[in-house]
């Protein structure tokens, strides 16, 4: 770990961030729903749900990273918790 002025740098790979078994089952269920869907309306609803979940989780992650920094003097690279670019 590298010492920085603001704290100790820790890569996200040092944290237990693997999805739980429940998360993996939910992921498979959603993937199958998408694959089996023949309705554009249904796909839009699923996409909207996934965007809402992703945004909520991103907020939680940022809050947790901030708490890690404040309470443990640990720094996590902002790029590791940034949303990926959406290509249209």
């Amino acid at each position: 770990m590298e010492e920085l002025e603001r704290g100790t740098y820790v890569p996200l790979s040092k944290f237990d961030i693997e999805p739980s078994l429940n998360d993996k089952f939910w992921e498979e269920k959603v993937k199958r729903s998408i694959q089996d869907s023949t309705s554009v309306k249904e796909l839009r609803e699923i996409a909207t749900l996934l965007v809402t979940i992703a945004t909520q989780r991103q907020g939680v992650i940022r809050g947790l990273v901030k708490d890690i920094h404040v309470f443990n003097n640990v720094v996590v690279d902002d790029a590791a918790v940034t949303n990926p670019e959406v290509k249209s």
Side-chain angles (χ1 to χ4, degrees), residues 12 60-70 74 76 78 81:
L12 279 182
V60 169
I61 291 167
R62 287 185 189 280
L64 292 172
V65 167
K66 182 179 175 184
D67 286 351
I68 288 170
H69 175 67
V70 169
V74 171
V76 176
D78 283 339
V81 294

Side-chain angles (χ1 to χ4, degrees), residues 10-88:
V10 179
L12 279 182
S13 61
K14 295 291 182 185
F15 297 96
D16 182 18
I17 55 174
E18 290 297 315
S20 69
L21 189 56
N22 274 349
D23 292 335
K24 290 178 181 179
F25 278 115
W26 183 83
E27 177 185 19
E28 186 59 33
K29 182 178 178 181
V30 172
K31 284 179 178 179
R32 288 181 186 192
S33 293
I34 292 168
Q35 293 298 320
D36 295 343
S37 179
T38 58
S39 165
V40 172
K41 181 181 177 185
E42 185 177 279
L43 289 173
R44 285 184 177 148
E45 289 173 3
I46 293 170
T48 301
L49 170 68
L50 293 175
V51 167
T52 300
I53 292 169
T55 303
Q56 288 173 336
R57 289 185 178 182
Q58 188 65 27
V60 169
I61 291 167
R62 287 185 189 280
L64 292 172
V65 167
K66 182 179 175 184
D67 286 351
I68 288 170
H69 175 67
V70 169
F71 295 115
N72 298 321
N73 204 30
V74 171
V75 178
V76 176
D77 185 7
D78 283 339
V81 294
T82 301
N83 289 320
E85 186 174 332
V86 176
K87 298 180 185 200
S88 34

